[in-house]
Amino acid sequence: MVQRIGVGSVGSRLRINGGTLRVTIQGTDLLLGGDIILSVNDIDVTAPTITESFALGAGDSYDRTVNTIGSLKAGDQLVLKVLREGKIVKLTTTMEL
């Protein structure tokens, strides 16, 4: 769930929507209503299940996503699928220096 997007960031170039509804849940402030990232360059973004949380390699999806983004070079494509207002939307940008 996206809460905020930095000005001039890759997220802003992709036109990812940040949250707009400020809430506090169990003492934690959140911005709700933003895009929910489903995949990054065809790597599904998932939270580990309870069983996976105790297994070696838990968080593999997160690690693969971070490594994929970190390995992109200028000219490479970054493709995200997000859930926005109940619909799946594909967002694409070309990485810059």
Side-chain angles (χ1 to χ4, degrees):
M1 176 177 65
V2 178
Q3 294 187 60
R4 293 182 188 93
I5 298 295
V7 176
S9 69
V10 172
S12 69
R13 286 200 318 269
L14 283 163
R15 297 183 186 235
I16 295 174
N17 291 337
T20 57
L21 178 62
R22 189 174 305 274
V23 298
T24 301
I25 300 173
Q26 294 183 350
T28 301
D29 294 329
L30 299 169
L31 286 173
L32 301 179
D35 290 341
I36 298 172
I37 299 173
L38 303 175
S39 69
V40 176
N41 283 8
D42 293 322
I43 300 170
D44 290 338
V45 176
T46 59
T49 64
I50 294 289
T51 304
E52 291 171 333
S53 295
F54 297 106
L56 188 61
D60 181 55
S61 171
Y62 175 81
D63 292 339
R64 286 180 49 216
T65 301
V66 169
N67 291 337
T68 295
I69 293 170
S71 68
L72 294 174
K73 299 178 279 316
D76 289 346
Q77 291 287 306
L78 177 60
V79 180
L80 271 62
K81 286 185 186 170
V82 301
L83 181 63
R84 177 182 291 166
E85 298 176 3
K87 297 179 183 170
I88 296 176
V89 179
K90 183 177 176 181
L91 308 172
T92 305
T93 192
T94 301
M95 298 302 290
E96 301 174 354
L97 291 178

